[in-house]
Amino acid sequence: MGVMAWKIGATAAFLCAFAALTLRWMSNCGLALPAPFSDPMPGRQGRPATGRELVWVFVVALLFRLMVADVSFTLWCKVTGESLLRGDIPALWCRWDAPHYVKLVELGYGGYIEDGQPLFLVFFPLYVWLVRGVKLLVGDTALAGMAVSWLCFGWGSTYLYRLGCEEYGPATTRRALCLLWCFPFSFFFGGIMTESLFLLTTAAALYHIRTHHWARAGVWGALAALTRMQGIILIGAAVAEWCQNRRSFAWNEKNWKGEILAILKTLPLLCLPILGSLVYFGLNYEVAGDPFAFTLMQRHWSQGFLWFPQVLAYLAKHALTWPNVTTRWEMWIPELLLFPLFALILWRGWKKHRSMLTLYGFVYFILTYCLSWLLSAGRYLSCALPCFFFLAEDLKDRSRATVALGAGMFLLQLVFLLRYFSWGQVM
C-alpha cells in the first residue's frame, strides 16, 4: 500500500510540475493566464560573447582538464605507491565503459562481439567514429579518446559561454562554468567517454535554438542524437523556443496563413535530430539486421525504461541495505541525494528562466532517473546544463557561498576520480 501511495504521489508531483512549466511556457507564448504563470522573468543584461572571451574560455577549459589529469595522477601515485609515468595517464583512465569504447574503435561494432552478440550496439557511434579518425593521427586509441574528449570539452565550454552570455551575461555564465567544471562527477568530461561530446553538441544546439538559427540547431541536435539517446529531446526545446519567439498562443495577433507557412518551413529544421536517430537505427540494421537491436542488447545490461518513482524506491533500498558499504557511498547514496538537490534547483527556478531552458532541464532530469538499472546518474546529470545556470543565478552576489560550494564539489570530484581509478563503483 505504501509503495503504491509513493508511486501515485510522485507521479502526481511530476504532472503538477510539468503542467506548471507548460502553462508558464504558454503564457510566454502569448496565452492570457493568471499569476504565477504570467509573472515576468527577472530583467537580465545578456549580450553576445566576444571572440577574445571565447578564446579565453577554450584555453582555460583545456588547462583545467590538464590540471585535473595531473593532480589526480599525482595523488594516485602517492596513495597507491605505484611508480607510473605521465605517459600512462590514458591507460589509467580506461575504466568501466572506457575499455568498451576503445574496443569499438579498434574492432568496430560488428567485430566487437561478446556471448556471440554485438552487445555494444547500446553505445552510440559518433564518439567512436571521431576517436577512430583522431587515432589515425596519434596512433594510440586511449590517447585519441582523451584528445577528443578534451577538445570537445573546450569547444563545448565556449558554446555554453555563448549561450549563457546571451541569456544571463558574462558574470553568471562564468559562475555557471565553474560550478559545472567542479561538479563531483564532471571528471568524466576528461575521460574516454561521451560526456564531453554530448556537452558540445547539446550546448551548441541550445545556443543556436536560443539565437533562432534553426538549421544550425537542427544539425547540432542530430549530432547530439548520434551521441546519446537524450539528444532527441532537443526537438522539444526547439519547438518551445520557436513558439515563444512567434507568440504562437496570442490568437488575436495571428495571420493564420502566414503562421501555417512558417510552421511548414521551419518544422523540418526543428526535427533534424531525428536524422541522428535514424543513422543509429541504420547502424543497428547493418550490424544485427534489426534497426532496434539495441533494445534487445540493453537487456543484457539490465537496462530499460522504468518510471522514476520506482527507480527512486530501489535507490533508497540499496542506499540503506546494499551489502558493501563502500558501494553505498560511491553509487547509491550519491544517486539518491542528487535527485532532491537537482529537483530543488529546478523548483527554485521555474518562474525565473526562459521556458525553453526550464522545460529542457526538467525533461532531461526526469529521463535521467527513468532507467531500470541506474548506475551513472551523477555522470548523466553533469550534462543537465540548464541546472548549472539556474544554480549560478541563485548564487548571484554570494561569492563566499559560490567559492565554498565550488571548492567542496571539486574535493569530492578528486575523491570520486581516485575511486574511479581504483575500479570503485563510480561509473
Side-chain angles (χ1 to χ4, degrees):
M1 189 66 180
V3 174
M4 181 59 67
W6 159 246
K7 291 180 183 178
I8 293 173
T11 301
F14 161 79
L15 292 174
C16 289
F18 187 70
L21 292 173
T22 302
L23 288 172
R24 179 157 179 79
W25 165 67
M26 294 175 73
S27 174
N28 292 336
C29 293
L31 185 65
L33 291 172
F37 308 110
S38 60
D39 290 351
M41 289 192 302
R44 299 191 179 99
Q45 300 297 319
R47 63 162 177 80
T50 66
R52 183 175 181 179
E53 288 174 325
L54 297 179
V55 171
W56 175 83
V57 169
F58 184 81
V59 170
V60 173
L62 292 184
L63 290 175
F64 182 81
R65 289 266 58 88
L66 179 63
M67 183 268 290
V68 170
D70 188 69
V71 169
S72 61
F73 172 80
T74 302
L75 289 174
W76 166 260
C77 291
K78 289 184 177 180
V79 169
T80 63
E82 293 192 30
S83 298
L84 300 176
L85 301 175
R86 278 175 168 72
D88 299 319
I89 287 179
L92 188 61
W93 284 78
C94 282
R95 301 291 187 265
W96 297 114
D97 285 349
H100 297 317
Y101 283 110
V102 169
K103 290 286 186 65
L104 284 171
V105 170
E106 295 176 345
L107 302 176
Y109 284 88
Y112 188 21
I113 303 296
E114 188 172 298
D115 295 334
Q117 301 180 78
L119 296 175
F120 302 96
L121 279 170
V122 296
F123 293 85
F124 277 58
L126 184 58
Y127 179 75
V128 173
W129 295 340
L130 289 175
V131 174
R132 187 173 295 161
V134 174
K135 183 193 174 187
L136 297 176
L137 301 176
V138 301
D140 181 80
T141 307
L143 180 59
M146 292 192 72
V148 169
S149 291
W150 285 30
L151 292 172
C152 287
F153 178 75
W155 195 5
S157 295
T158 65
Y159 261 115
L160 203 60
Y161 188 83
R162 295 173 77 180
L163 171 63
C165 278
E166 289 282 347
E167 187 67 21
Y168 300 99
T172 293
T173 303
R174 287 192 293 267
R175 191 159 49 249
L177 281 177
C178 289
L179 293 170
L180 173 64
W181 293 358
C182 291
F183 182 62
F185 296 92
S186 287
F187 68 84
F188 284 107
F189 287 131
I192 308 167
M193 299 275 192
T194 60
E195 266 55 50
S196 282
L197 181 58
F198 194 66
L199 165 70
L200 167 60
T201 53
T202 303
L206 289 173
Y207 167 73
H208 288 299
I209 289 170
R210 172 63 182 83
T211 54
H212 307 151
H213 299 140
W214 306 118
R216 297 177 191 176
V219 170
W220 280 109
L223 295 175
L226 260 177
T227 305
R228 190 180 290 171
M229 183 71 74
Q230 294 93 325
I232 199 70
I233 67 175
L234 286 163
I235 294 176
V239 170
E241 180 64 22
W242 187 85
C243 290
Q244 180 172 335
N245 181 52
R246 295 188 65 86
R247 290 179 55 82
S248 295
F249 297 108
W251 312 114
N252 58 331
E253 301 174 9
K254 297 289 105 179
N255 170 3
W256 287 107
K257 182 178 179 180
E259 196 71 8
I260 291 173
L261 289 174
I263 292 172
L264 293 175
K265 178 181 178 181
T266 312
L267 190 60
L269 301 177
L270 304 184
C271 293
L272 277 176
I274 293 174
L275 288 179
S277 297
L278 291 176
V279 172
Y280 177 58
F281 298 155
L283 173 66
N284 278 258
Y285 183 79
E286 179 184 356
V287 173
D290 178 0
F292 304 106
F294 68 95
T295 60
L296 301 176
M297 308 307 164
Q298 284 175 336
R299 298 175 188 174
H300 173 83
W301 307 101
S302 302
Q303 291 292 8
F305 182 86
L306 187 67
W307 191 225
F308 78 93
Q310 296 168 268
V311 175
L312 291 175
Y314 80 65
L315 289 180
K317 177 183 177 182
H318 294 336
L320 294 172
T321 65
W322 195 262
N324 189 316
V325 176
T326 301
T327 300
R328 293 186 203 177
W329 286 101
E330 289 175 347
M331 179 184 295
W332 305 120
I333 292 175
E335 292 195 326
L336 185 62
L337 293 178
L338 285 171
F339 186 90
L341 291 174
F342 274 74
L344 178 63
I345 292 170
L346 288 163
W347 177 76
R348 287 180 57 84
W350 80 277
K351 294 192 299 181
K352 302 176 184 177
H353 304 278
R354 181 171 289 269
S355 287
M356 177 268 287
L357 294 174
T358 55
L359 284 166
Y360 175 82
F362 179 74
V363 172
Y364 182 90
F365 165 66
I366 291 296
L367 286 179
T368 296
Y369 278 87
C370 285
L371 282 175
S372 58
W373 191 237
L374 182 60
L375 304 178
S376 308
R379 174 158 64 96
Y380 299 151
L381 288 175
S382 65
C383 289
L385 304 181
C387 294
F388 294 95
F389 286 121
F390 301 167
L391 180 58
E393 274 285 277
D394 271 353
L395 291 172
K396 184 185 295 183
D397 302 322
R398 299 170 64 186
S399 57
R400 290 184 179 178
T402 302
V403 171
L405 179 60
M409 289 197 300
F410 185 69
L411 288 176
L412 281 174
Q413 181 178 148
L414 291 177
V415 171
F416 281 120
L417 180 52
L418 291 179
R419 290 302 302 153
Y420 175 78
F421 289 161
S422 302
W423 291 96
Q425 300 299 305
V426 182
M427 59 184 74

